[in-house]
Amino acid sequence: MEPPVSLDGEDIRDEKVKVLRSIRKVDIEDVVLGQLKDASGDVDRYTKSMTPTYFAAAMYIDNARWDGVPFLIKTGMGLMENRAEIRIQFHHVPGNIYRERFGHDIDLDTNELVLRDLPEEAILLKVNNKVPGLGLQLDASELNLLYRDRYDVEVPDSYEHLLLDVLDGDSHLFMRSDELAAAWSVLAPILHEIDQKSVAPELYDAGDKGPINAYYLAAKHGVRWDDGC
């Protein structure tokens, strides 16, 4: 969102609504559904229905700041890792003169800024840099800011934070009615289309990375999913 005019809850929520209203209609070709296989051998909990346990989609925000930038989102059950994070992938430098110096494929090493909430709060910066020594080989490295290592403070539970905001009358973390309506205006059309066309979810194994079609979706929009989940 754009910077609000103040830290007042209403000003913050005004900007959140503007972003939601700028989201382009989601194309069903840019959606991947998955369903977790039942490995127990007992009665299958999921595959007797069309209920998905995994969702991935490519979305676009049609405003001046984010025009043409793909936003890929995914969530699912039973994946390799349980993580909640935002990854910002930067474009490669045009005409990179160090291309031949990489020890591996440069197309697999995009500079990234990672804002992680789970499993532990952290800010990570993945950058391509020169390997120490007399040579000119490049490699990808990670600069870590782990909150538990940097700050010796007790972090309150998320619900404790929300309850304190309620007591203080601070509403900036809560959804306003127009924000809720704007969010559903993004989701409702694609959910109806999925139901009408009876889109079948792709099966995936527990502890896996999820449906393979999610990787084709990412490649279609020039984005690389992190291999960890």
Side-chain angles (χ1 to χ4, degrees):
M1 68 182 196
E2 297 300 321
V5 296
S6 77
L7 293 178
D8 179 76
E10 292 304 306
D11 291 335
I12 292 174
R13 297 196 290 181
D14 285 343
E15 297 302 327
K16 291 168 67 178
V17 171
K18 290 179 184 178
V19 173
L20 288 170
R21 288 176 176 170
S22 299
I23 295 178
R24 185 187 308 172
K25 182 180 183 297
V26 181
D27 189 337
I28 197 167
E29 298 297 323
D30 288 334
V31 171
V32 173
L33 300 179
Q35 191 177 78
L36 183 64
K37 290 182 183 178
D38 180 31
S40 66
D42 299 328
V43 177
D44 198 327
R45 293 170 295 166
Y46 301 115
T47 54
K48 290 184 180 299
S49 73
M50 299 285 282
T51 303
T53 59
Y54 177 100
F55 175 86
M59 310 173 77
Y60 287 85
I61 299 175
D62 291 331
N63 62 18
R65 181 180 296 276
W66 299 114
D67 183 49
V69 177
F71 284 76
L72 270 74
I73 61 173
K74 65 174 176 177
T75 184
M77 295 173 52
L79 299 177
M80 182 180 295
E81 292 186 35
N82 180 24
R83 289 191 298 182
E85 63 186 19
I86 299 169
R87 287 180 170 264
I88 302 170
Q89 293 184 355
F90 298 95
H91 288 300
H92 293 304
V93 177
N96 191 343
I97 61 175
Y98 292 101
R99 177 178 294 272
E100 302 302 325
R101 299 292 182 175
F102 268 77
H104 39 274
D105 189 353
I106 189 176
D107 292 328
L108 297 180
D109 291 292
T110 302
N111 290 351
E112 285 187 319
L113 176 62
V114 182
L115 310 176
R116 181 173 295 167
D117 185 44
L118 292 174
E120 54 186 3
E121 290 183 296
I123 299 176
L124 315 174
L125 181 61
K126 294 188 173 184
V127 296
N128 297 314
N129 66 285
K130 178 184 175 298
V131 176
L134 298 177
L136 285 176
Q137 288 297 110
L138 302 183
D139 196 12
S141 299
E142 191 174 272
L143 309 178
N144 299 341
L145 170 58
L146 299 179
Y147 278 45
R148 60 173 170 79
D149 293 339
R150 178 66 179 84
Y151 302 106
D152 186 20
V153 295
E154 182 178 352
V155 179
D157 180 84
S158 297
Y159 289 105
E160 293 177 357
H161 194 174
L162 289 176
L163 288 172
L164 181 61
D165 286 347
V166 171
L167 296 175
D168 290 341
D170 185 349
S171 60
H172 78 279
L173 290 178
F174 295 86
M175 294 188 74
R176 204 167 56 191
S177 59
D178 56 344
E179 181 183 348
L180 183 62
W184 274 108
S185 70
V186 176
L187 295 173
I190 190 63
L191 292 175
H192 290 323
E193 189 171 0
I194 288 171
D195 287 341
Q196 291 170 359
K197 296 184 177 180
S198 298
V199 179
E202 176 187 343
L203 295 178
Y204 64 95
D205 292 312
D208 202 352
K209 299 176 183 178
I212 189 65
N213 279 327
Y215 289 86
Y216 291 122
L217 173 66
K220 172 184 173 182
H221 293 274
V223 177
R224 177 177 56 85
W225 290 124
D226 177 61
D227 291 335
C229 64

PDB file of all heavy atoms in Angstrom, residues 45-70:
ATOM      1  N   ARG A  45     -10.027 -38.896   3.300  1.00  0.00           N
ATOM      2  CA  ARG A  45     -10.725 -37.722   3.834  1.00  0.00           C
ATOM      3  C   ARG A  45     -11.037 -36.700   2.758  1.00  0.00           C
ATOM      4  O   ARG A  45     -11.980 -35.946   2.864  1.00  0.00           O
ATOM      5  CB  ARG A  45      -9.862 -37.058   4.912  1.00  0.00           C
ATOM      6  CG  ARG A  45      -9.667 -37.890   6.156  1.00  0.00           C
ATOM      7  CD  ARG A  45      -8.622 -37.260   7.038  1.00  0.00           C
ATOM      8  NE  ARG A  45      -7.315 -37.278   6.382  1.00  0.00           N
ATOM      9  CZ  ARG A  45      -6.271 -36.576   6.793  1.00  0.00           C
ATOM     10  NH1 ARG A  45      -6.380 -35.795   7.846  1.00  0.00           N
ATOM     11  NH2 ARG A  45      -5.115 -36.663   6.154  1.00  0.00           N
ATOM     12  N   TYR A  46     -10.207 -36.637   1.700  1.00  0.00           N
ATOM     13  CA  TYR A  46     -10.309 -35.535   0.764  1.00  0.00           C
ATOM     14  C   TYR A  46     -10.743 -35.955  -0.641  1.00  0.00           C
ATOM     15  O   TYR A  46     -11.584 -35.321  -1.244  1.00  0.00           O
ATOM     16  CB  TYR A  46      -8.963 -34.802   0.659  1.00  0.00           C
ATOM     17  CG  TYR A  46      -8.492 -34.253   1.977  1.00  0.00           C
ATOM     18  CD1 TYR A  46      -7.344 -34.732   2.590  1.00  0.00           C
ATOM     19  CD2 TYR A  46      -9.217 -33.257   2.628  1.00  0.00           C
ATOM     20  CE1 TYR A  46      -6.917 -34.231   3.807  1.00  0.00           C
ATOM     21  CE2 TYR A  46      -8.801 -32.756   3.846  1.00  0.00           C
ATOM     22  CZ  TYR A  46      -7.649 -33.244   4.426  1.00  0.00           C
ATOM     23  OH  TYR A  46      -7.234 -32.752   5.629  1.00  0.00           O
ATOM     24  N   THR A  47     -10.166 -37.043  -1.153  1.00  0.00           N
ATOM     25  CA  THR A  47     -10.358 -37.336  -2.572  1.00  0.00           C
ATOM     26  C   THR A  47     -11.762 -37.805  -2.920  1.00  0.00           C
ATOM     27  O   THR A  47     -12.061 -37.990  -4.089  1.00  0.00           O
ATOM     28  CB  THR A  47      -9.333 -38.385  -3.046  1.00  0.00           C
ATOM     29  OG1 THR A  47      -9.414 -39.531  -2.184  1.00  0.00           O
ATOM     30  CG2 THR A  47      -7.927 -37.819  -2.996  1.00  0.00           C
ATOM     31  N   LYS A  48     -12.614 -38.047  -1.939  1.00  0.00           N
ATOM     32  CA  LYS A  48     -14.006 -38.326  -2.228  1.00  0.00           C
ATOM     33  C   LYS A  48     -14.761 -37.033  -2.527  1.00  0.00           C
ATOM     34  O   LYS A  48     -15.935 -37.062  -2.870  1.00  0.00           O
ATOM     35  CB  LYS A  48     -14.658 -39.069  -1.060  1.00  0.00           C
ATOM     36  CG  LYS A  48     -14.152 -40.509  -0.893  1.00  0.00           C
ATOM     37  CD  LYS A  48     -14.885 -41.220   0.215  1.00  0.00           C
ATOM     38  CE  LYS A  48     -14.367 -42.641   0.370  1.00  0.00           C
ATOM     39  NZ  LYS A  48     -14.562 -43.453  -0.833  1.00  0.00           N
ATOM     40  N   SER A  49     -14.106 -35.913  -2.376  1.00  0.00           N
ATOM     41  CA  SER A  49     -14.710 -34.627  -2.688  1.00  0.00           C
ATOM     42  C   SER A  49     -13.739 -33.829  -3.550  1.00  0.00           C
ATOM     43  O   SER A  49     -12.638 -34.267  -3.843  1.00  0.00           O
ATOM     44  CB  SER A  49     -15.042 -33.852  -1.410  1.00  0.00           C
ATOM     45  OG  SER A  49     -13.843 -33.380  -0.823  1.00  0.00           O
ATOM     46  N   MET A  50     -14.169 -32.642  -3.960  1.00  0.00           N
ATOM     47  CA  MET A  50     -13.325 -31.748  -4.761  1.00  0.00           C
ATOM     48  C   MET A  50     -12.701 -30.671  -3.891  1.00  0.00           C
ATOM     49  O   MET A  50     -12.156 -29.701  -4.397  1.00  0.00           O
ATOM     50  CB  MET A  50     -14.170 -31.111  -5.869  1.00  0.00           C
ATOM     51  CG  MET A  50     -14.777 -32.101  -6.843  1.00  0.00           C
ATOM     52  SD  MET A  50     -13.553 -32.745  -7.991  1.00  0.00           S
ATOM     53  CE  MET A  50     -13.435 -31.352  -9.109  1.00  0.00           C
ATOM     54  N   THR A  51     -12.759 -30.849  -2.582  1.00  0.00           N
ATOM     55  CA  THR A  51     -12.266 -29.827  -1.669  1.00  0.00           C
ATOM     56  C   THR A  51     -10.749 -29.699  -1.775  1.00  0.00           C
ATOM     57  O   THR A  51     -10.026 -30.656  -1.504  1.00  0.00           O
ATOM     58  CB  THR A  51     -12.642 -30.160  -0.223  1.00  0.00           C
ATOM     59  OG1 THR A  51     -14.057 -30.296  -0.121  1.00  0.00           O
ATOM     60  CG2 THR A  51     -12.169 -29.063   0.717  1.00  0.00           C
ATOM     61  N   PRO A  52     -10.225 -28.535  -2.161  1.00  0.00           N
ATOM     62  CA  PRO A  52      -8.769 -28.374  -2.258  1.00  0.00           C
ATOM     63  C   PRO A  52      -8.147 -28.150  -0.886  1.00  0.00           C
ATOM     64  O   PRO A  52      -8.783 -27.618   0.020  1.00  0.00           O
ATOM     65  CB  PRO A  52      -8.603 -27.142  -3.152  1.00  0.00           C
ATOM     66  CG  PRO A  52      -9.852 -26.350  -2.945  1.00  0.00           C
ATOM     67  CD  PRO A  52     -10.943 -27.343  -2.648  1.00  0.00           C
ATOM     68  N   THR A  53      -6.908 -28.584  -0.751  1.00  0.00           N
ATOM     69  CA  THR A  53      -6.128 -28.309   0.456  1.00  0.00           C
ATOM     70  C   THR A  53      -4.915 -27.440   0.124  1.00  0.00           C
ATOM     71  O   THR A  53      -4.047 -27.223   0.971  1.00  0.00           O
ATOM     72  CB  THR A  53      -5.650 -29.622   1.109  1.00  0.00           C
ATOM     73  OG1 THR A  53      -4.841 -30.349   0.167  1.00  0.00           O
ATOM     74  CG2 THR A  53      -6.829 -30.486   1.523  1.00  0.00           C
ATOM     75  N   TYR A  54      -4.842 -26.970  -1.127  1.00  0.00           N
ATOM     76  CA  TYR A  54      -3.723 -26.141  -1.588  1.00  0.00           C
ATOM     77  C   TYR A  54      -4.263 -25.159  -2.615  1.00  0.00           C
ATOM     78  O   TYR A  54      -5.113 -25.501  -3.446  1.00  0.00           O
ATOM     79  CB  TYR A  54      -2.651 -27.031  -2.234  1.00  0.00           C
ATOM     80  CG  TYR A  54      -1.460 -26.288  -2.812  1.00  0.00           C
ATOM     81  CD1 TYR A  54      -0.262 -26.207  -2.115  1.00  0.00           C
ATOM     82  CD2 TYR A  54      -1.524 -25.689  -4.069  1.00  0.00           C
ATOM     83  CE1 TYR A  54       0.843 -25.541  -2.647  1.00  0.00           C
ATOM     84  CE2 TYR A  54      -0.431 -25.024  -4.600  1.00  0.00           C
ATOM     85  CZ  TYR A  54       0.749 -24.955  -3.893  1.00  0.00           C
ATOM     86  OH  TYR A  54       1.823 -24.294  -4.425  1.00  0.00           O
ATOM     87  N   PHE A  55      -3.760 -23.923  -2.539  1.00  0.00           N
ATOM     88  CA  PHE A  55      -4.182 -22.887  -3.483  1.00  0.00           C
ATOM     89  C   PHE A  55      -2.982 -22.031  -3.845  1.00  0.00           C
ATOM     90  O   PHE A  55      -2.215 -21.613  -2.971  1.00  0.00           O
ATOM     91  CB  PHE A  55      -5.260 -21.999  -2.847  1.00  0.00           C
ATOM     92  CG  PHE A  55      -5.675 -20.825  -3.702  1.00  0.00           C
ATOM     93  CD1 PHE A  55      -6.663 -20.959  -4.658  1.00  0.00           C
ATOM     94  CD2 PHE A  55      -5.072 -19.581  -3.543  1.00  0.00           C
ATOM     95  CE1 PHE A  55      -7.056 -19.884  -5.444  1.00  0.00           C
ATOM     96  CE2 PHE A  55      -5.445 -18.500  -4.315  1.00  0.00           C
ATOM     97  CZ  PHE A  55      -6.439 -18.654  -5.265  1.00  0.00           C
ATOM     98  N   ALA A  56      -2.786 -21.804  -5.124  1.00  0.00           N
ATOM     99  CA  ALA A  56      -1.755 -20.879  -5.604  1.00  0.00           C
ATOM    100  C   ALA A  56      -2.360 -20.043  -6.720  1.00  0.00           C
ATOM    101  O   ALA A  56      -3.214 -20.521  -7.484  1.00  0.00           O
ATOM    102  CB  ALA A  56      -0.529 -21.635  -6.114  1.00  0.00           C
ATOM    103  N   ALA A  57      -1.933 -18.791  -6.806  1.00  0.00           N
ATOM    104  CA  ALA A  57      -2.478 -17.907  -7.832  1.00  0.00           C
ATOM    105  C   ALA A  57      -1.486 -16.799  -8.149  1.00  0.00           C
ATOM    106  O   ALA A  57      -0.650 -16.431  -7.316  1.00  0.00           O
ATOM    107  CB  ALA A  57      -3.806 -17.294  -7.380  1.00  0.00           C
ATOM    108  N   ALA A  58      -1.578 -16.303  -9.362  1.00  0.00           N
ATOM    109  CA  ALA A  58      -0.814 -15.124  -9.787  1.00  0.00           C
ATOM    110  C   ALA A  58      -1.786 -13.955  -9.891  1.00  0.00           C
ATOM    111  O   ALA A  58      -2.842 -14.069 -10.508  1.00  0.00           O
ATOM    112  CB  ALA A  58      -0.143 -15.377 -11.131  1.00  0.00           C
ATOM    113  N   MET A  59      -1.435 -12.843  -9.266  1.00  0.00           N
ATOM    114  CA  MET A  59      -2.318 -11.686  -9.216  1.00  0.00           C
ATOM    115  C   MET A  59      -1.536 -10.439  -9.602  1.00  0.00           C
ATOM    116  O   MET A  59      -0.308 -10.394  -9.471  1.00  0.00           O
ATOM    117  CB  MET A  59      -2.920 -11.534  -7.816  1.00  0.00           C
ATOM    118  CG  MET A  59      -3.536 -12.807  -7.271  1.00  0.00           C
ATOM    119  SD  MET A  59      -4.082 -12.689  -5.546  1.00  0.00           S
ATOM    120  CE  MET A  59      -5.597 -11.773  -5.780  1.00  0.00           C
ATOM    121  N   TYR A  60      -2.276  -9.431 -10.057  1.00  0.00           N
ATOM    122  CA  TYR A  60      -1.662  -8.160 -10.451  1.00  0.00           C
ATOM    123  C   TYR A  60      -2.424  -7.004  -9.819  1.00  0.00           C
ATOM    124  O   TYR A  60      -3.649  -7.061  -9.654  1.00  0.00           O
ATOM    125  CB  TYR A  60      -1.665  -8.009 -11.977  1.00  0.00           C
ATOM    126  CG  TYR A  60      -0.665  -8.905 -12.664  1.00  0.00           C
ATOM    127  CD1 TYR A  60      -0.993 -10.219 -12.964  1.00  0.00           C
ATOM    128  CD2 TYR A  60       0.611  -8.453 -12.997  1.00  0.00           C
ATOM    129  CE1 TYR A  60      -0.077 -11.061 -13.588  1.00  0.00           C
ATOM    130  CE2 TYR A  60       1.526  -9.278 -13.624  1.00  0.00           C
ATOM    131  CZ  TYR A  60       1.184 -10.574 -13.920  1.00  0.00           C
ATOM    132  OH  TYR A  60       2.098 -11.400 -14.532  1.00  0.00           O
ATOM    133  N   ILE A  61      -1.677  -5.970  -9.446  1.00  0.00           N
ATOM    134  CA  ILE A  61      -2.265  -4.746  -8.887  1.00  0.00           C
ATOM    135  C   ILE A  61      -2.122  -3.644  -9.920  1.00  0.00           C
ATOM    136  O   ILE A  61      -1.005  -3.257 -10.283  1.00  0.00           O
ATOM    137  CB  ILE A  61      -1.558  -4.353  -7.578  1.00  0.00           C
ATOM    138  CG1 ILE A  61      -1.709  -5.473  -6.537  1.00  0.00           C
ATOM    139  CG2 ILE A  61      -2.123  -3.040  -7.036  1.00  0.00           C
ATOM    140  CD1 ILE A  61      -0.948  -5.208  -5.255  1.00  0.00           C
ATOM    141  N   ASP A  62      -3.228  -3.165 -10.416  1.00  0.00           N
ATOM    142  CA  ASP A  62      -3.216  -2.161 -11.483  1.00  0.00           C
ATOM    143  C   ASP A  62      -3.186  -0.748 -10.917  1.00  0.00           C
ATOM    144  O   ASP A  62      -4.189  -0.035 -10.901  1.00  0.00           O
ATOM    145  CB  ASP A  62      -4.434  -2.355 -12.404  1.00  0.00           C
ATOM    146  CG  ASP A  62      -4.336  -3.628 -13.223  1.00  0.00           C
ATOM    147  OD1 ASP A  62      -3.198  -4.050 -13.525  1.00  0.00           O
ATOM    148  OD2 ASP A  62      -5.384  -4.206 -13.553  1.00  0.00           O
ATOM    149  N   ASN A  63      -2.019  -0.371 -10.400  1.00  0.00           N
ATOM    150  CA  ASN A  63      -1.819   1.021 -10.010  1.00  0.00           C
ATOM    151  C   ASN A  63      -0.421   1.447 -10.452  1.00  0.00           C
ATOM    152  O   ASN A  63       0.339   0.656 -11.014  1.00  0.00           O
ATOM    153  CB  ASN A  63      -2.039   1.235  -8.499  1.00  0.00           C
ATOM    154  CG  ASN A  63      -1.057   0.439  -7.636  1.00  0.00           C
ATOM    155  OD1 ASN A  63      -0.014  -0.015  -8.096  1.00  0.00           O
ATOM    156  ND2 ASN A  63      -1.400   0.289  -6.366  1.00  0.00           N
ATOM    157  N   ALA A  64      -0.079   2.692 -10.211  1.00  0.00           N
ATOM    158  CA  ALA A  64       1.173   3.236 -10.740  1.00  0.00           C
ATOM    159  C   ALA A  64       2.399   2.541 -10.156  1.00  0.00           C
ATOM    160  O   ALA A  64       3.397   2.342 -10.841  1.00  0.00           O
ATOM    161  CB  ALA A  64       1.241   4.747 -10.467  1.00  0.00           C
ATOM    162  N   ARG A  65       2.354   2.157  -8.896  1.00  0.00           N
ATOM    163  CA  ARG A  65       3.526   1.563  -8.255  1.00  0.00           C
ATOM    164  C   ARG A  65       3.769   0.127  -8.723  1.00  0.00           C
ATOM    165  O   ARG A  65       4.917  -0.291  -8.924  1.00  0.00           O
ATOM    166  CB  ARG A  65       3.372   1.586  -6.728  1.00  0.00           C
ATOM    167  CG  ARG A  65       4.582   0.992  -6.005  1.00  0.00           C
ATOM    168  CD  ARG A  65       4.407   1.038  -4.489  1.00  0.00           C
ATOM    169  NE  ARG A  65       4.331   2.386  -3.977  1.00  0.00           N
ATOM    170  CZ  ARG A  65       5.401   3.157  -3.690  1.00  0.00           C
ATOM    171  NH1 ARG A  65       6.610   2.691  -3.905  1.00  0.00           N
ATOM    172  NH2 ARG A  65       5.235   4.366  -3.213  1.00  0.00           N
ATOM    173  N   TRP A  66       2.713  -0.662  -8.880  1.00  0.00           N
ATOM    174  CA  TRP A  66       2.869  -2.100  -9.092  1.00  0.00           C
ATOM    175  C   TRP A  66       2.463  -2.558 -10.488  1.00  0.00           C
ATOM    176  O   TRP A  66       2.316  -3.760 -10.713  1.00  0.00           O
ATOM    177  CB  TRP A  66       2.054  -2.866  -8.046  1.00  0.00           C
ATOM    178  CG  TRP A  66       2.480  -2.588  -6.645  1.00  0.00           C
ATOM    179  CD1 TRP A  66       1.760  -1.949  -5.674  1.00  0.00           C
ATOM    180  CD2 TRP A  66       3.738  -2.930  -6.048  1.00  0.00           C
ATOM    181  NE1 TRP A  66       2.486  -1.873  -4.520  1.00  0.00           N
ATOM    182  CE2 TRP A  66       3.709  -2.470  -4.716  1.00  0.00           C
ATOM    183  CE3 TRP A  66       4.891  -3.577  -6.506  1.00  0.00           C
ATOM    184  CZ2 TRP A  66       4.778  -2.631  -3.837  1.00  0.00           C
ATOM    185  CZ3 TRP A  66       5.954  -3.737  -5.642  1.00  0.00           C
ATOM    186  CH2 TRP A  66       5.895  -3.283  -4.331  1.00  0.00           C
ATOM    187  N   ASP A  67       2.316  -1.653 -11.406  1.00  0.00           N
ATOM    188  CA  ASP A  67       1.898  -2.019 -12.759  1.00  0.00           C
ATOM    189  C   ASP A  67       2.867  -3.037 -13.371  1.00  0.00           C
ATOM    190  O   ASP A  67       4.079  -2.795 -13.454  1.00  0.00           O
ATOM    191  CB  ASP A  67       1.835  -0.771 -13.639  1.00  0.00           C
ATOM    192  CG  ASP A  67       1.339  -1.083 -15.039  1.00  0.00           C
ATOM    193  OD1 ASP A  67       0.308  -1.754 -15.161  1.00  0.00           O
ATOM    194  OD2 ASP A  67       2.008  -0.669 -16.016  1.00  0.00           O
ATOM    195  N   GLY A  68       2.343  -4.186 -13.794  1.00  0.00           N
ATOM    196  CA  GLY A  68       3.153  -5.206 -14.451  1.00  0.00           C
ATOM    197  C   GLY A  68       3.928  -6.126 -13.533  1.00  0.00           C
ATOM    198  O   GLY A  68       4.617  -7.026 -14.013  1.00  0.00           O
ATOM    199  N   VAL A  69       3.835  -5.940 -12.218  1.00  0.00           N
ATOM    200  CA  VAL A  69       4.574  -6.777 -11.269  1.00  0.00           C
ATOM    201  C   VAL A  69       3.686  -7.940 -10.826  1.00  0.00           C
ATOM    202  O   VAL A  69       2.608  -7.714 -10.278  1.00  0.00           O
ATOM    203  CB  VAL A  69       5.026  -5.970 -10.038  1.00  0.00           C
ATOM    204  CG1 VAL A  69       5.721  -6.876  -9.028  1.00  0.00           C
ATOM    205  CG2 VAL A  69       5.925  -4.820 -10.454  1.00  0.00           C
ATOM    206  N   PRO A  70       4.104  -9.189 -11.065  1.00  0.00           N
ATOM    207  CA  PRO A  70       3.278 -10.325 -10.635  1.00  0.00           C
ATOM    208  C   PRO A  70       3.402 -10.575  -9.136  1.00  0.00           C
ATOM    209  O   PRO A  70       4.498 -10.512  -8.570  1.00  0.00           O
ATOM    210  CB  PRO A  70       3.856 -11.500 -11.431  1.00  0.00           C
ATOM    211  CG  PRO A  70       5.280 -11.122 -11.679  1.00  0.00           C
ATOM    212  CD  PRO A  70       5.308  -9.619 -11.790  1.00  0.00           C
TER     213      PRO A  70
END
